[in-house]
Amino acid sequence: MNQERKVIVAMKHRVMMVALFAVITSPVCAAKLSGPPRILDGNTIELEKTKLRLSGIDAPETDQICLDAHGRKWACGVAARDELIKHSNGRTWDCHTTGVDEYGRSRGSCFIEGEDVNAWMVRSGWALSGLSTHTYVIYEVVASKAYAGLWSGAFIAPWDWRRRNKGTIIIGASSVPGDAQELLLGSALLSDPPSSECLIKGTMDRNGERIYYLPGQLGYEQIDMTKKSGERWLCSEAEAEATGWRKAAR
């Protein structure tokens, strides 16, 4: 009897999951948004009070560090965000959403005066074509051959940066410096913020929940950014909350 109940429960769970997936991916979740956006990072914006992640591409996080053409460290994640802000230049975006991601952000494609913003990010070297899609891979080839953006030096693919370890592969359009592993994977890499504006500390609690602390909050000074792989610097509360972080209670 217990086995029959387990089967029934499992079937109900499967039906619920299928129904949830259908809701998330259905046309009902699709929407059109328009206006000048607030740009949070290289592939996340806020438009009409909706947080949206540009689909089909992956830009570096704002805490990501890369190497330039001379092998020097630079804040490429902040640069990717700033280049998108500069390209946007206060103009109106037209976005089409097609679902949501694991953080509750809408996913979609955006256009500025008919130009595909997602494609522009990859073509300009500030993002890579998404790991699970090849929609923009041709633009990635164009960017690498032009040594544009991230491709001007050496870097870690954004999806690898988020779970990097000593064995993480470092890529580049020409060559990777011999000390790239030490520079980009050293334990002390993020002891200092990548930019003077990125002073928010994100850390994992005992339950694996993402918590962020603002300067001045109790516990902020005690967080050592070199200790845990899940810790990172964040540039704004809007960015933190759009990427799954919750503010510390005190």
Side-chain angles (χ1 to χ4, degrees):
M1 189 66 180
N2 286 338
Q3 185 62 30
E4 290 181 359
R5 291 188 63 184
K6 288 180 181 180
V7 171
I8 293 172
V9 170
M11 289 178 66
K12 287 182 177 179
H13 178 73
R14 180 177 174 81
V15 169
M16 289 174 62
M17 292 302 294
V18 170
L20 178 61
F21 180 79
V23 169
I24 291 175
T25 57
S26 71
V28 175
C29 289
K32 292 183 179 181
L33 307 172
S34 184
R38 179 183 183 187
I39 297 169
L40 305 179
D41 64 28
N43 50 215
T44 307
I45 67 168
E46 187 171 17
L47 182 59
E48 292 187 10
K49 298 182 179 180
T50 298
K51 292 182 174 64
L52 185 149
R53 188 182 189 301
L54 301 180
S55 59
I57 71 171
D58 204 346
E61 305 284 1
T62 52
D63 71 328
Q64 184 162 345
I65 302 298
C66 300
L67 300 180
D68 65 16
H70 303 289
R72 297 174 301 207
K73 293 187 290 186
W74 64 297
C76 57
V78 171
R81 181 205 62 188
D82 290 350
E83 289 297 324
L84 183 55
I85 292 173
K86 187 187 304 182
H87 184 67
S88 177
N89 194 31
R91 293 181 291 173
T92 294
W93 289 34
D94 296 304
C95 300
H96 308 275
T97 68
T98 54
V100 297
D101 69 4
E102 65 271 32
Y103 301 125
R105 296 175 294 187
S106 295
R107 284 185 175 274
S109 299
C110 295
F111 301 83
I112 301 176
E113 298 173 359
E115 177 189 51
D116 186 335
V117 178
N118 306 41
W120 181 87
M121 282 295 288
V122 180
R123 187 174 66 250
S124 301
W126 297 114
L128 300 187
S129 183
L131 186 61
S132 59
T133 178
H134 303 292
T135 306
Y136 300 106
V137 71
I138 186 62
Y139 298 115
E140 190 175 302
V141 174
V142 170
S144 66
K145 288 185 178 297
Y147 304 105
L150 308 176
W151 296 100
S152 62
F155 64 99
I156 296 171
W159 48 83
D160 285 333
W161 172 264
R162 300 182 190 105
R163 56 174 183 272
R164 62 192 181 279
N165 55 50
K166 292 296 183 180
T168 297
I169 296 174
I170 298 173
I171 59 178
S174 54
S175 61
V176 176
D179 59 350
Q181 292 280 338
E182 179 183 350
L183 292 173
L184 295 182
L185 296 171
S187 61
L189 174 66
L190 294 179
S191 57
D192 297 317
S195 167
S196 59
E197 67 178 278
C198 304
L199 300 178
I200 300 173
K201 291 182 176 181
T203 188
M204 297 284 195
D205 67 9
R206 294 178 180 178
N207 299 317
E209 186 177 2
R210 295 177 162 197
I211 307 294
Y212 71 85
Y213 290 78
L214 301 176
Q217 277 193 285
L218 185 66
Y220 178 88
E221 295 296 338
Q222 282 68 50
I223 299 173
D224 184 345
M225 300 300 283
T226 68
K227 292 296 184 182
K228 301 177 184 177
S229 59
E231 292 175 338
R232 61 158 295 186
W233 295 97
L234 296 151
C235 302
S236 70
E237 290 191 79
E239 176 200 1
E241 291 166 4
T243 49
W245 299 82
R246 178 178 62 81
K247 185 177 181 180
R250 56 183 183 142

